[in-house]
Amino acid sequence: MKARVFVTLKPGVLDPQGKAIHHALEGLGFSGVQDVRAGKLIELDLADGTSDTDIEAMCRKLLANTVIENFRIERLEPAA
Amino acid sequence: MKARVFVTLKPGVLDPQGKAIHHALEGLGFSGVQDVRAGKLIELDLADGTSDTDIEAMCRKLLANTVIENFRIERLEPAA
């Protein structure tokens, strides 16, 4: 079973990586960019039957820093 | 207009960050993890009317290294 975890900075948290990408895009001549936020995408290949609770525990304990980051879980195949 | 770009390593490309996450999850007692791949998520806030071609050019020129990475573009609102 596959799952994807999207980790994004919470609104209001400074994002120097996003700022750098924004600046670089402008330097390359892309003018219509108003804001850039950088996040992480983690693709998990899990044993069938892994519950949503388990995936959420992985996010809370390791994958995301919940003080400054939000996470969203997307299952690619339904739970067994 | 908002768009998301998902950047993932091509299959076969070594992913030390994913390996480290996998190892750490096992260390935390999550046993059902078979594989982990780490990627990037870039959220763009763009001027209305920015075309798909422009977003693809941003990916090819800056956001993704197309030698080792694939990218996927997801628009959150339709083109103006």
Side-chain angles (χ1 to χ4, degrees):
Chain A
M1 190 205 77
K2 291 193 182 253
R4 287 200 190 117
V5 175
F6 304 96
V7 180
T8 49
L9 283 171
K10 289 187 178 177
V13 177
L14 285 178
D15 179 7
Q17 190 185 0
K19 279 264 178 303
I21 295 170
H22 189 177
H23 191 74
L25 284 173
E26 286 179 337
L28 286 169
F30 294 106
S31 54
V33 185
Q34 281 149 12
D35 194 29
V36 181
R37 302 283 284 173
K40 280 175 281 183
L41 160 65
I42 298 152
E43 293 181 325
L44 300 165
D45 193 352
L46 299 163
D48 288 341
T50 306
S51 67
D52 281 343
T53 318
D54 286 342
I55 305 177
E56 199 180 317
M58 293 179 199
C59 292
R60 292 195 180 280
K61 285 192 185 164
L62 183 75
L63 304 180
N65 175 354
T66 54
V67 177
I68 56 165
E69 290 171 331
N70 291 322
F71 63 87
R72 188 165 63 81
I73 297 163
E74 183 184 286
R75 276 171 175 276
L76 302 193
E77 293 147 55
Chain B
M1 192 203 77
K2 291 194 182 252
R4 288 203 190 113
V5 175
F6 304 97
V7 180
T8 49
L9 283 170
K10 289 187 178 177
V13 177
L14 285 178
D15 179 8
Q17 189 185 2
K19 280 263 178 304
I21 295 170
H22 189 175
H23 191 73
L25 284 172
E26 285 178 339
L28 286 169
F30 295 105
S31 53
V33 184
Q34 280 148 14
D35 193 28
V36 181
R37 302 282 283 173
K40 280 174 284 184
L41 161 65
I42 298 153
E43 293 181 325
L44 301 165
D45 193 351
L46 298 164
D48 289 340
T50 307
S51 67
D52 281 343
T53 318
D54 286 342
I55 306 176
E56 200 180 316
M58 292 177 198
C59 293
R60 293 196 180 279
K61 285 192 185 165
L62 183 75
L63 304 179
N65 175 354
T66 54
V67 177
I68 57 166
E69 291 171 330
N70 291 322
F71 64 87
R72 187 164 64 80
I73 297 162
E74 184 184 285
R75 276 171 175 275
L76 302 193
E77 293 148 54

